[in-house]
Amino acid sequence: MDGGGEVAWRFGAAKPELAAASAQIKMRALVARVYGCLDKSDPRAVVPLASGDPTPFPCFRTSAAAEQAVTAAVASGKHNGYPSATGVAEACSAVATYLSRYLPYELSADDIVLTAGCNHGIEIMMAVLATPGSNVLLPRPGYPLYEARAALSGLEFRHYDLLPEKGWEVDVRGVEALADDNTVAVVIVNPNNPSGAVYSFQHLAEIAETARKLGIMVISDEIYEHFVFGSKPFVPMGVFGEIAPVVTLGGISKRWMVPGWKLGWIAMTDPKGVLREKKILDSIIIYRGISVDPAAIVQGAVPQIIANTDETFFTNVMKVMRETAEMCYQKLKATKGVTCHHKPEGSMFVMVKLDMSCFDGIDDDIDFCCKLAKEESVVISPGSGLCMENWLRITFAVDPLLLEDGLERVTSFCLRHASPIMN
Ligand SMILES: *Cc1c(COP(=O)(O)O)cnc(C)c1O
């Protein structure tokens, strides 16, 4: 082997579009910075309230039926090959039947495209909608992968607001004001990450009517479908598919608590067939064909995962979530300097506003999170990562005892840094 001599490697130019798209996910860098502030000499456990991944906690282990379904899929030897380009037929059928339970019409397997997690569905939709000049309306606060994938696809995005004083509902008037002739879609997330809101039937109907008026589709991110524990039931946006075409994004990551299994779907909840007629489904299938497949093993397990997980699994998980959401809300409500506008009723997150005048020597939300990590070993996401300066995003999908400990540390931190003028 010749190791000698200098080679002028021709590759290595940075791709600026990639860095620019990735920078849309400001939250990642901010959370990494907060983790960097942790004091390693603190003997107490770190309380991770930043990212919503409940899988480390035994109380949030997936259903035994789901685990058995994957084991059986492996043992059958039937799922070792290349799956078909839109998904294993039985899995598409099972998802169609599952989603149809909650809709006033029946979906068929042809209405379903399986994806490698919901994030893959977001990637596909942002790519498919990116025709020259078009734009999409995204919520603020929201889920930053939408911005990143839109940016990478060259799709313009505009932010409409969620309204904290109205239970984080969509600012429907704002949506109308933002839209123009080039707007093709509005994205909603329901149940909502990061606010914990669950949208009512009436509110969803209003969104559908607005989309109809504007001639745009609704992309409804329902990765937290049925992940509700308040007074409001979950209503799928697809219920309003007659009014305006709805693309529903979902998957098993959150409800079954298996984000690592990477199984999601894009569903055409569009009984009038507008998305078909306008070739949106064709584009989705073409893009999917040159993208990736979810693992065949998990696809093979989907029918049994859905059929065999009984209601008690979901009821038990929602019972714990109701308890942790309530605890989070009550403890924060009793803490000076933080305001929680709305008790979370769904998803794994809540947004909390900081009143900076209540604190002494804390500059902003980022400084709050860094000092909190350093002094109390509690990690929280600064709202700045979601264009919400002086807000915090907190997950309560954490073991209840650990969460209680973490919230008490937040309270003592706030007391210790209280502004003397306010006391
Ligand atoms: C977690 C999450 C996703 C990603 O789902 P995966 O199936 O893990 O890819 C998408 N959208 C929202 C709003 C989420 O919270």
Side-chain angles (χ1 to χ4, degrees), residues 105 188 208 216-222 236-249 267-271 274-275:
Y105 50 88
I188 64 164
I216 64 178
M217 72 174 82
V218 180
I219 297 175
S220 189
D221 184 328
E222 298 179 4
M237 188 70 207
V239 165
F240 306 94
E242 293 260 0
I243 300 174
V246 177
V247 173
T248 301
L249 304 182
M268 303 299 116
T269 36
D270 171 37
V274 180
L275 298 167

Side-chain angles (χ1 to χ4, degrees), residues 96-112:
T97 308
Y98 167 66
L99 295 177
S100 299
R101 279 190 227 159
Y102 312 97
L103 294 170
Y105 50 88
E106 287 285 317
L107 295 177
S108 76
D110 297 340
D111 295 315
I112 307 296

Side-chain angles (χ1 to χ4, degrees), residues 92-160:
C92 292
S93 284
V95 171
T97 308
Y98 167 66
L99 295 177
S100 299
R101 279 190 227 159
Y102 312 97
L103 294 170
Y105 50 88
E106 287 285 317
L107 295 177
S108 76
D110 297 340
D111 295 315
I112 307 296
V113 173
L114 296 183
T115 58
C118 185
N119 282 348
H120 187 207
I122 294 171
E123 168 190 335
I124 294 172
M125 288 315 300
M126 295 300 104
V128 160
L129 295 178
T131 53
S134 60
N135 68 72
V136 64
L137 310 182
L138 303 178
R140 175 180 49 211
Y143 183 69
L145 187 71
Y146 283 94
E147 283 82 350
R149 290 308 319 192
L152 195 57
S153 295
L155 174 62
E156 185 197 335
F157 56 87
R158 301 174 179 182
H159 284 135
Y160 69 81

